[in-house]
Amino acid sequence: MTWAIGLLELGTGAMAAIIFGLLGMFIVMRSVQSVPQGREYTVERFGRYIRTLSPGLHFIVPIIDRIGARLNMMERLLEVPSQEVITRDNAMVRVDGVVFFQVLDAARAAYEVSQLELAILNLTTTNVRTVMGSMEMDELLSQRDKINAQLLHVVDDATQPWGIKVTRIEIKDITPPRDLVDAMARQMKAEREKRAAILEAEGLRQAAILRAEGEKQAAVLEAEGRKEAAFRDAEARERLAEAEARATHMVSQAIDKGNISAINYFIATKYVDALQSIASAPNQKLVLMPLEAASVIGAIGGIAELAKDAMGKQKNN
């Protein structure tokens, strides 16, 4: 009996030790908190926020303190679902996009807003309709960077009280209705044809200008050539007239000195020139005229005598 009572006392002590040991292990496990990289935990004491645990090993007061919210501090992506937007010129378009955001203050993100991602999504969706609804269709298709910048500014300002930083908002697709796409394609085709017609007309205009400039230059050069030729012809006629005048003067001097051969030379040259003119006339086929051979021979003899006299004078000189 005594043995049984001792065994019971021993069993009760061992059980108490085991219970206390398990309780100690539980308290230690609850007091030690390991926070992974890229996350932060909030600590609550009796349901009230007291501090934030950064990545690493931390100790809290067990039972009294507990972990409130476990927040991801890395930049995250949020898909904005497709929605229909009516533009300022009453065109219906379907748009979707993405939002990149990051939690900067874990306490404010945990306790200032409920359902953080849903709140950001609804805020972005509403502002997409507001911003894009204030623009016309052409602006939506050509100024996507401007839309992204306006959305980022509005959404980032609205989420600052939540401890959130919206880093980027990107509109992925803007899909207008099919009939509007066809109308835009026709408009683009007409615009391209217009530009092609303008370029073709401009090319023809330039070609006409260049052609006129070429003709002008050719006419100027031709006029210059005619001017130069006329000048040279006049100069040649002037020199011929001077030579003829000198020859006539020399013949006149020879006649004054009583040289009959000079008279024969003068008459013979005029006679030969007249015969040459008659023979070269295009409307004369046959010419019959009296010709005194003695006169011509005499003229030739006069020419010979003049030549001899001229040569003799040159030798004497």
Side-chain angles (χ1 to χ4, degrees):
M1 192 66 170
T2 303
W3 175 79
I5 294 173
L7 183 61
L8 181 61
E9 291 177 355
L10 180 61
T12 303
M15 185 175 296
I18 292 173
I19 292 173
F20 279 111
L22 293 175
L23 182 60
M25 291 178 62
F26 174 75
I27 292 174
V28 170
M29 292 177 62
R30 291 294 301 271
S31 63
V32 177
Q33 295 292 330
S34 177
V35 181
Q37 184 66 35
R39 294 182 178 273
E40 289 186 0
Y41 295 170
T42 62
V43 179
E44 299 175 356
R45 176 169 295 174
F46 299 115
R48 181 184 177 186
Y49 166 78
I50 57 173
R51 62 191 177 106
T52 300
L53 302 181
S54 58
L57 187 63
H58 300 273
F59 295 92
I60 62 174
V61 179
I63 300 175
I64 298 177
D65 296 341
R66 71 181 185 90
I67 300 299
R70 293 175 169 84
L71 297 176
N72 186 352
M73 305 300 291
M74 296 181 289
E75 187 173 1
R76 285 182 281 172
L77 169 66
L78 188 62
E79 291 278 350
V80 179
S82 178
Q83 60 177 321
E84 291 184 346
V85 176
I86 300 176
T87 62
R88 189 171 61 185
D89 53 353
N90 297 324
M92 181 76 69
V93 295
R94 180 169 291 276
V95 298
D96 59 0
V98 292
V99 179
F100 294 88
F101 71 96
Q102 185 177 12
V103 177
L104 300 181
D105 190 335
R108 294 167 67 184
Y111 302 109
E112 294 292 337
V113 61
S114 178
Q115 298 181 347
L116 177 63
E117 292 188 357
L118 182 60
I120 296 174
L121 180 61
N122 284 297
L123 183 63
T124 305
T125 302
T126 303
N127 283 281
V128 164
R129 293 175 181 172
T130 302
V131 173
M132 299 184 71
S134 64
M135 305 175 70
E136 295 183 356
M137 172 62 68
D138 293 338
E139 293 178 318
L140 295 183
L141 299 177
S142 61
Q143 300 182 8
R144 188 170 297 191
D145 292 340
K146 179 180 178 181
I147 298 172
N148 295 336
Q150 289 184 359
L151 287 174
L152 178 61
H153 177 71
V154 173
V155 177
D156 186 45
D157 288 344
T159 56
Q160 280 185 358
W162 303 343
I164 302 298
K165 175 61 179 177
V166 179
T167 56
R168 289 189 304 277
I169 296 180
E170 299 289 340
I171 298 298
K172 292 197 301 182
D173 293 322
I174 300 177
T175 307
R178 185 62 188 177
D179 56 346
L180 187 57
V181 173
D182 295 338
M184 292 171 61
R186 291 193 299 270
Q187 180 182 0
M188 186 181 301
K189 181 179 178 181
E191 187 66 25
R192 289 177 179 174
E193 291 177 351
K194 175 184 176 182
R195 289 199 297 266
I198 292 174
L199 291 176
E200 184 178 0
E202 186 66 23
L204 294 175
R205 174 176 174 270
Q206 291 294 333
I209 292 174
L210 294 176
R211 190 182 305 110
E213 288 290 338
E215 293 175 355
K216 176 183 176 182
Q217 292 294 331
V220 170
L221 293 175
E222 184 179 358
E224 290 289 338
R226 289 197 302 269
K227 177 182 177 182
E228 184 68 21
F231 177 77
R232 292 184 182 275
D233 289 342
E235 186 177 4
R237 289 193 300 270
E238 181 181 358
R239 290 182 180 178
L240 181 60
E242 291 177 356
E244 187 174 356
R246 284 197 298 269
T248 304
H249 180 68
M250 292 175 62
V251 172
S252 298
Q253 288 180 352
I255 293 172
D256 290 339
K257 293 178 181 179
N259 192 343
I260 304 302
S261 298
I263 298 174
N264 293 333
Y265 166 73
F266 186 75
I267 294 172
T269 54
K270 295 299 182 179
Y271 191 76
V272 172
D273 291 340
L275 290 177
Q276 184 178 0
S277 299
I278 293 172
S280 61
N283 57 350
Q284 298 294 332
K285 302 300 182 182
L286 180 62
V287 177
L288 298 175
M289 58 190 311
L291 183 62
E292 295 181 359
S295 298
V296 177
I297 293 172
I300 294 174
I303 294 172
E305 291 296 330
L306 286 175
K308 289 179 181 180
D309 294 340
M311 292 177 64
K313 290 180 181 179
Q314 290 179 357
K315 288 180 180 181
N316 294 329
N317 293 331

